[in-house]
Amino acid sequence: MEERRSCYCRNNGFLLQLVLLFFFLLLFLDVPMVATAAPSSAPLNSTQVSIMKDLSALVTARWNTSDSNPCRWDGVNCSSSSSLSFVTNLTLSGYGLSNSTIFSHLCDLDTLQSLDLSKNSFANSVQQFFTSSCSMKAVLRSLNLSSNLIAIPLGDFSGFPLLEVLDLSFNSFSGGVSTQFNSLPKLRSLNFSSNNLVGDVPTSMVLSLEELVLSSNKFSGSIPKALFNYQNLTMLDLSQNNLNGGVPDEFLKLPKLRTLLLSGNVLSGNIPVSVSNVASLSRFAANQNNFTGFIPSGITKNVKMLDLSYNNLGGVIPSDILSPVGLETVDLTRNMFEGHIPSNLSSTLYRLRLGYNSLNGTIPDTIGDALALAYLELDSNQLMGSIPFDLGKCKKLSLLNLASNKFQGRLPDAIGNLDKLVVLKLQMNNLDGPIPSLLSDLANLSTLNLSHNSFIGEIPREISKLSKLSVLNLQGNKISGSIPDSISLLPSLIELSLGNNSLNGTIPMMPTKLSTVLDLSHNHLSGSIPSNIGLLNDLEVLDLSYNDLSGEVPESLVNMQSLTQLVLSYNHLSGSIPIFPRHVELNYTGNPGLQNGIENNENAPTGGKRSAHGILVIIFAIAGALGGLCLLTAIVTISYSKRIYRVEDEGTSTEEVVARIINGHLITMNSIHASAIDFSKAMEAVSNQSNIFLKTRFCTYYKAVMPNGSTYSVKRLNYSDKILQIGSQGKVGHELEVLGKLSNSNVMVPLAYVVTEDNAYIIYEYVHKGTVFDFLHAGRSDVLDWPSRYSIAFGLAQGLTFLHGCTQPVLLLDLSTSTIHLKSMNEPQIGDVELYKIVDTLKSSGSLSTIAGTVGYIPPEYAYTMRLTMAGNVYSFGVILLELLTGKPSVSDGIELAKWALSLSGSPDQREQILDTTVSRTSAAVHRQMLSVLNIALACVVLSPDARPKMRSVLRMLFNAK
Ligand SMILES: *[C@@H]1O[C@H](CO)[C@@H](O)[C@H](O)[C@H]1NC(C)=O
Ligand SMILES: *[C@@H]1O[C@H](CO)[C@@H](O)[C@H](O)[C@H]1NC(C)=O
Ligand SMILES: *[C@@H]1O[C@H](CO)[C@@H](O)[C@H](O)[C@H]1NC(C)=O
Ligand SMILES: *[C@@H]1O[C@H](CO)[C@@H](O)[C@H](O)[C@H]1NC(C)=O
């Protein structure tokens, strides 16, 4: 039996060999043909082969070095002369590179024409490459170092005589630009967007320059006349600087200009007339300046995308401005235009924004000619008349905003044709008649705001067909009848405002997703408050005031986990009011039959509710001998002795041996990570101190390069000898698995973990550009302008809202600017997420050093409650907001930032002093937004934990501060 089977197998093997041989021959015969077809398959010059081999040791990326011809590696292009090839182009974008020793190898590639090192982490050590001699520089034509971390003064480029394209955008180059480019006779394209360059707009480049991008720097002064000598310019971007004065009217000297961007400066005077006559110009933006006067006529003859919004332009909008065929977008929002909307409308126009002007007259009947129109905003003008029937011909409309005008009459049924409509805002007009039931055909509608008009009749029951509707606002009309039962079928509704109407009948079942507001106030609703309202777990504000509701307040409302405001005033409610958690703002005046229940027995009722809120309690089991007071002193001493956040590395010697793995587990299901992560490689990386890139209070991060070249972060838990008691490892593993299933782009999610004899390590994706602390307080703060700081705050709020909203809420033990990593200048990731889960597992063995995070971020109540709460996290978040607003660290000169800010918050003048003036002075809009964010920050750091907002509200407030 056995014998025969193996014999059979051998036969098979023989057959297989034959087949392989056959294919091999086929391949072999094909080779010459392939070789002649592709020139670069000539063998690479042997000197360059060895350079590439050396490079591959440093380029820790996707190079498949098993292929012996480097010309076939990712991002490598070669060309051949006669029988040999040479490397001409290298694209190593986003490879996680930071060690500038790579340049010494690159310098030997003296045939390189194009080098792309964008999206890496090169820092100031690249200076040497710019200044030292290097034979590659003599031949290079294109250099891209954008999106790195280079923060040096701009040097000169005389070493690059053939350079044609230079992209250094998204770094922190500083200083002024004068003669640095004198030596580049072939320069065609220069991109310095998003750096810290100051002084005048440079005009020392070669006159044949075609692209000049200087946006988002700190250039000042006026636009130099000499710029108009660059007659081959196709792109000129000076947006987001501090340029002032008028714009020379000389654009006819730039006959090839295609894109002209002047937005976000303090330019004044008239829009230059010559812009209208540059035949090639297709995009012109001058928004957010102080331009005055009229729009030059014929400006859209050539320009297809025009943005003049947020200026002080006035007069009548030229009648021909919207008519040219090919026109795409026109934005004139927030100026002082008057008169009528031009009636000649192009069939290619897809975005028209005329909001916040003083336009009058009607919407032209020709609106139906604008067949491509997708966004139409005419809000906040003095427009009148009825909404034209022909608007129904604009079948591509997805946003229609006619709010705050004087429109009257009925809503035409034709609106029901606009089946692409997502947002329909008609509030604050004089519209009347019934709400057309055809609105329910708008299958994509997400926001419907008809508030503050004079609509009559009932709410059409077909409205329940709007399965994507998330906001329905009908308040302030004359709507009667009862609320249709079908309303509960709206699966996506999060806000429902029906206040100030004439609704009667009882309150039906409400959609379960409602989360921001349910406002039924000022109607004639009767019957009792249905107890199923208590099922609206996400609802924050419930207003039932000024109705005819009777009966008792259902006990179930107490269970609404997100409720912050409950308004029951002026009804006929009776009985006693159930006891709500203290943070719920309750108003029940004008209900004579209603009695306040048992007064404020704080502990009994709130305790139970808190755990329903998921405010989980970690009890640090401290040796019983330590009394409360003693504990308090201990925390303070430890925190201060650890001096803000950097912890000296204890006990790891450079010669540490590679630790023995007890247990290595993959958490991620992602097959790319699964195949890349190698546990022994990770342990090799942590044995070498030079791989450390960050230390926080509880953790040390190492960079590890896996065998396939991709880079990961490996985090060692400091103190883990104390944390990981024998037998708790299984539990830690389980908790990490749970965290590994979280998915939110603002949270660092563990991919795998390794437990060794005396430590635990967690493996993450490597996305580290530095921490927020590094950027704010380690001399790089000028990199973070206000938009980045705002995005960081917003991303962080999203991440925290997500963590707090999990079925099992995740709290942060150590939330500070040094535990927030930056993926880019505006994408934060919350790190050290697992700490509380892991610390939780050692209830029985707790150690003092693990308590309460980093000094300056520790909410005052932790000192006596000794437990981690969501409100405590909100406090720490507030401190981070303050750091972003002030640029100051969480503690300076022994004074905590939060306390300092609170002490100044009393008067508006003093509030000004809190802000980082170098940031707040950039524009009035920035200043305004910073003040709104300051209000949010101050609400987060108030002393009483109950008075602090929930993360979800914080997120919404931040969003509204946009
Ligand atoms: C190979 O390239 C090197 C440097 O790029 C050059 O010095 C050398 O002359 C080349 N060899 C041949 C045979 O072309
Ligand atoms: C950069 O790489 C070189 C060579 O591999 C190494 O000797 C050096 O220590 C590295 N520098 C840093 C800062 O990692
Ligand atoms: C290589 O770089 C040159 C010079 O910048 C460029 O013109 C060419 O298109 C690039 N070739 C490839 C294949 O990327
Ligand atoms: C502009 O480009 C044309 C054609 O490439 C060239 O002949 C001319 O010299 C350039 N102008 C300047 C000012 O360099």
Side-chain angles (χ1 to χ4, degrees):
M1 225 8 223
E2 209 56 42
E3 187 71 32
R4 225 195 296 163
R5 196 193 286 159
S6 66
C7 174
Y8 178 72
C9 288
R10 205 170 298 141
N11 270 341
N12 236 0
F14 179 66
L15 248 179
L16 192 65
Q17 280 172 17
L18 266 184
V19 172
L20 281 177
L21 182 64
F22 178 69
F23 276 109
F24 179 75
L25 283 174
L26 272 185
L27 268 175
F28 183 75
L29 288 172
D30 251 2
V31 164
M33 275 178 61
V34 173
T36 46
S40 67
S41 67
L44 183 62
N45 163 318
S46 59
T47 319
Q48 297 207 336
V49 170
S50 76
I51 298 172
M52 292 302 287
K53 288 260 157 72
D54 290 346
L55 271 177
S56 70
L58 294 163
V59 174
T60 55
R62 303 168 284 254
W63 274 358
N64 176 13
T65 44
S66 61
D67 189 329
S68 63
N69 184 355
C71 293
R72 285 193 291 255
W73 296 351
D74 244 9
V76 182
N77 284 98
C78 299
S79 70
S80 58
S81 68
S82 67
S83 58
L84 284 180
S85 357
F86 301 90
V87 177
T88 55
N89 299 35
L90 265 185
T91 304
L92 304 174
S93 176
Y95 276 37
L97 302 173
S98 61
N99 189 332
S100 57
T101 54
I102 194 173
F103 287 100
S104 62
H105 298 274
L106 290 170
C107 275
D108 293 335
L109 283 175
D110 56 6
T111 54
L112 203 59
Q113 296 179 358
S114 162
L115 176 61
D116 180 353
L117 294 171
S118 59
K119 300 183 186 157
N120 284 297
S121 303
F122 290 112
N124 297 353
S125 51
V126 298
Q127 176 129 40
Q128 224 196 337
F129 168 63
F130 286 119
T131 51
S132 65
S133 71
C134 159
S135 45
M136 172 264 282
K137 279 161 55 175
V139 294
L140 199 65
R141 294 187 202 163
S142 169
L143 174 64
N144 186 348
L145 273 169
S146 65
S147 298
N148 277 283
L149 300 168
I150 309 168
I152 55 178
L154 194 62
D156 87 280
F157 289 84
S158 52
F160 299 84
L162 300 184
L163 210 56
E164 296 170 17
V165 177
L166 178 60
D167 186 347
L168 300 180
S169 57
F170 296 93
N171 280 290
S172 306
F173 282 98
S174 57
V177 187
S178 52
T179 56
Q180 284 94 328
F181 306 115
N182 278 350
S183 47
L184 301 179
K186 305 217 158 181
L187 197 62
R188 283 189 288 113
S189 172
L190 189 56
N191 188 344
F192 269 105
S193 180
S194 298
N195 279 285
N196 295 324
L197 298 174
V198 297
D200 292 336
V201 170
T203 51
S204 59
M205 299 77 66
V206 64
L207 289 178
S208 51
L209 192 72
E210 293 167 15
E211 294 180 349
L212 180 59
V213 179
L214 302 176
S215 53
S216 299
N217 278 284
K218 292 169 184 158
F219 288 111
S220 54
S222 53
I223 296 180
K225 285 219 174 204
L227 217 45
F228 294 88
N229 297 331
Y230 290 85
Q231 48 184 259
N232 282 346
L233 273 184
T234 59
M235 149 74 96
L236 177 58
D237 181 357
L238 302 177
S239 59
Q240 311 296 337
N241 280 292
N242 300 323
L243 302 176
N244 58 32
V247 181
D249 197 355
E250 302 189 18
F251 286 92
L252 284 175
K253 292 185 180 162
L254 307 179
K256 298 181 181 169
L257 199 60
R258 288 199 290 261
T259 305
L260 173 60
L261 307 177
L262 305 175
S263 327
N265 283 291
V266 277
L267 297 166
S268 53
N270 292 344
I271 300 287
V273 175
S274 56
V275 165
S276 301
N277 295 317
V278 180
S280 54
L281 191 65
S282 73
R283 181 166 170 222
F284 174 44
N287 50 301
Q288 289 165 299
N289 279 291
N290 297 331
F291 287 110
T292 51
F294 307 129
I295 302 182
S297 72
I299 195 166
T300 52
K301 213 165 42 190
N302 306 305
V303 171
K304 294 177 170 42
M305 303 169 96
L306 176 68
D307 190 345
L308 300 177
S309 60
Y310 293 83
N311 277 294
N312 300 318
L313 299 166
V316 172
I317 299 175
S319 63
D320 55 353
I321 195 174
L322 302 179
S323 61
V325 175
L327 184 65
E328 293 172 15
T329 69
V330 172
D331 191 339
L332 305 179
T333 307
R334 277 207 201 257
N335 278 288
M336 299 181 297
F337 293 112
E338 43 193 43
H340 293 193
I341 298 172
S343 59
N344 247 331
L345 298 170
S346 168
S347 61
T348 54
L349 184 65
Y350 76 83
R351 175 179 292 163
L352 178 59
R353 304 182 70 212
L354 303 177
Y356 292 91
N357 280 291
S358 303
L359 300 171
N360 56 31
T362 59
I363 297 180
D365 284 334
T366 49
I367 189 76
D369 297 345
L371 290 174
L373 209 55
Y375 304 87
L376 178 60
E377 290 173 60
L378 305 176
D379 51 312
S380 299
N381 279 292
Q382 316 283 328
L383 298 167
M384 57 185 118
S386 54
I387 294 176
F389 186 84
D390 278 359
L391 198 56
K393 290 186 182 159
C394 304
K395 293 271 292 175
K396 300 223 166 112
L397 267 182
S398 75
L399 181 144
L400 177 59
N401 186 351
L402 306 179
S404 300
N405 277 291
K406 297 174 177 167
F407 290 113
Q408 61 195 48
R410 296 183 164 218
L411 208 50
D413 281 348
I415 294 265
N417 294 339
L418 301 175
D419 56 8
K420 296 235 162 54
L421 213 52
V422 177
V423 175
L424 178 57
K425 292 186 169 187
L426 303 175
Q427 70 267 26
M428 314 261 214
N429 279 292
N430 301 322
L431 298 167
D432 57 28
I435 298 171
S437 58
L438 288 169
L439 279 186
S440 58
D441 292 342
L442 304 178
N444 290 304
L445 201 63
S446 145
T447 296
L448 176 59
N449 193 337
L450 304 179
S451 63
H452 304 289
N453 279 290
S454 300
F455 287 107
I456 55 166
E458 302 199 355
I459 300 171
R461 61 186 50 256
E462 296 85 352
I463 207 151
S464 62
K465 289 201 300 191
L466 296 174
S467 62
K468 296 191 180 155
L469 197 64
S470 65
V471 174
L472 176 59
N473 190 341
L474 304 178
Q475 67 179 308
N477 280 290
K478 297 172 183 160
I479 300 168
S480 56
S482 55
I483 303 171
D485 283 342
S486 60
I487 202 122
S488 70
L489 302 175
L490 284 168
S492 313
L493 202 65
I494 61 173
E495 177 180 332
L496 178 60
S497 297
L498 303 176
N500 279 292
N501 278 292
S502 302
L503 295 165
N504 56 32
T506 56
I507 300 174
M509 176 95 155
M510 285 294 157
T512 50
K513 277 254 185 89
L514 278 183
S515 54
T516 53
V517 178
L518 173 56
D519 178 3
L520 305 178
S521 66
H522 295 271
N523 278 292
H524 309 302
L525 298 169
S526 56
S528 54
I529 300 173
S531 69
N532 59 27
I533 289 218
L535 299 175
L536 302 177
N537 264 334
D538 296 329
L539 191 65
E540 293 176 14
V541 177
L542 174 60
D543 188 349
L544 303 176
S545 61
Y546 294 93
N547 276 293
D548 299 324
L549 298 169
S550 55
E552 301 204 342
V553 179
E555 186 69 33
S556 64
L557 301 196
V558 166
N559 299 328
M560 297 171 70
Q561 295 183 8
S562 304
L563 197 64
T564 56
Q565 201 183 348
L566 176 61
V567 190
L568 301 173
S569 42
Y570 299 99
N571 278 288
H572 310 298
L573 298 166
S574 56
S576 61
I577 303 172
I579 293 155
F580 286 89
R582 269 194 302 170
H583 64 265
V584 177
E585 189 187 316
L586 184 62
N587 186 341
Y588 54 90
T589 49
N591 288 282
L594 202 54
Q595 292 121 37
N596 199 351
I598 321 123
E599 279 288 352
N600 277 341
N601 184 355
E602 280 174 23
N603 291 339
T606 44
K609 253 145 262 144
R610 290 258 165 83
S611 44
H613 273 238
I615 298 180
L616 295 185
V617 175
I618 292 183
I619 298 152
F620 295 91
I622 309 292
L626 289 174
L629 188 65
C630 186
L631 193 58
L632 177 63
T633 13
I635 297 165
V636 173
T637 328
I638 285 174
S639 310
Y640 277 96
S641 68
K642 294 292 182 195
R643 223 32 224 164
I644 318 298
Y645 87 109
R646 288 205 189 268
V647 179
E648 291 315 313
D649 198 35
E650 302 137 350
T652 27
S653 73
T654 19
E655 304 298 323
E656 202 179 61
V657 286
V658 177
R660 198 165 69 83
I661 299 173
I662 293 180
N663 192 350
H665 258 292
L666 268 178
I667 303 169
T668 178
M669 305 292 243
N670 179 316
S671 59
I672 296 172
H673 293 314
S675 63
I677 292 173
D678 177 317
F679 295 123
S680 13
K681 203 79 188 169
M683 289 306 99
E684 228 177 83
V686 302
S687 69
N688 182 347
Q689 285 225 319
S690 69
N691 289 323
I692 295 178
F693 65 89
L694 174 69
K695 287 180 192 174
T696 66
R697 185 145 141 59
F698 298 107
C699 310
T700 305
Y701 287 84
Y702 300 80
K703 188 169 164 179
V705 179
M706 296 300 170
N708 79 345
S710 43
T711 308
Y712 287 83
S713 317
V714 181
K715 176 163 89 178
R716 193 192 68 187
L717 302 171
N718 302 337
Y719 308 109
S720 51
D721 51 337
K722 301 184 195 100
I723 297 176
L724 292 165
Q725 298 299 310
I726 306 299
S728 68
Q729 288 146 356
K731 180 114 194 286
V732 170
H734 173 76
E735 297 292 6
L736 287 175
E737 306 268 1
V738 172
L739 290 173
K741 300 211 165 56
L742 301 180
S743 149
N744 181 288
S745 61
N746 298 117
V747 174
M748 276 180 90
V749 174
L751 303 173
Y753 66 94
V754 179
V755 177
T756 62
E757 272 161 338
D758 54 4
N759 259 313
Y761 300 89
I762 307 174
I763 301 176
Y764 299 94
E765 265 185 282
Y766 181 79
V767 292
H768 189 77
K769 274 234 153 194
T771 62
V772 175
F773 184 97
D774 294 340
F775 280 93
L776 277 181
H777 311 309
R780 292 152 88 186
S781 63
D782 44 356
V783 188
L784 288 182
D785 59 5
W786 175 248
S788 312
R789 293 183 194 206
Y790 176 79
S791 308
I792 290 169
F794 193 71
L796 209 49
Q798 280 180 315
L800 274 176
T801 308
F802 168 77
L803 290 172
H804 285 184
C806 297
T807 342
Q808 292 192 340
V810 178
L811 305 186
L812 279 298
L813 184 63
D814 187 12
L815 177 59
S816 70
T817 44
S818 46
T819 59
I820 311 299
H821 304 238
L822 289 178
K823 250 196 288 191
S824 72
M825 287 309 114
N826 46 26
E827 294 169 273
Q829 275 205 328
I830 303 172
D832 296 3
V833 165
E834 74 298 328
L835 279 179
Y836 120 91
K837 290 287 186 184
I838 291 173
V839 173
D840 191 26
T841 63
L842 46 131
K843 275 180 190 161
S844 57
S845 71
S847 85
L848 264 180
S849 54
T850 52
I851 295 169
T854 305
V855 67
Y857 302 87
I858 306 170
E861 74 273 15
Y862 277 14
Y864 54 88
T865 59
M866 278 299 127
R867 58 184 195 188
L868 207 53
T869 60
M870 289 200 202
N873 279 184
V874 170
Y875 181 93
S876 309
F877 176 76
V879 176
I880 294 175
L881 281 186
L882 287 172
E883 284 186 84
L884 292 167
L885 288 163
T886 61
K888 295 186 183 359
S890 64
V891 180
S892 42
D893 303 324
I895 300 170
E896 292 192 27
L897 181 61
K899 305 220 163 93
W900 173 77
L902 281 174
S903 73
L904 288 179
S905 64
S907 78
D909 281 357
Q910 286 189 311
R911 283 194 178 206
E912 289 287 333
Q913 294 172 27
I914 301 178
L915 303 182
D916 184 349
T917 47
T918 56
V919 177
S920 65
R921 270 203 218 112
T922 49
S923 80
V926 163
H927 182 241
R928 216 173 22 248
Q929 196 184 31
M930 285 178 80
L931 280 177
S932 328
V933 174
L934 177 60
N935 288 336
I936 302 169
L938 292 170
C940 291
V941 296
V942 294
L943 277 182
S944 157
D946 288 339
R948 293 176 204 144
K950 296 268 182 49
M951 269 325 293
R952 194 147 43 108
S953 313
V954 173
L955 180 63
R956 190 152 43 84
M957 290 190 271
L958 275 174
F959 181 77
N960 290 336
K962 220 165 191 160

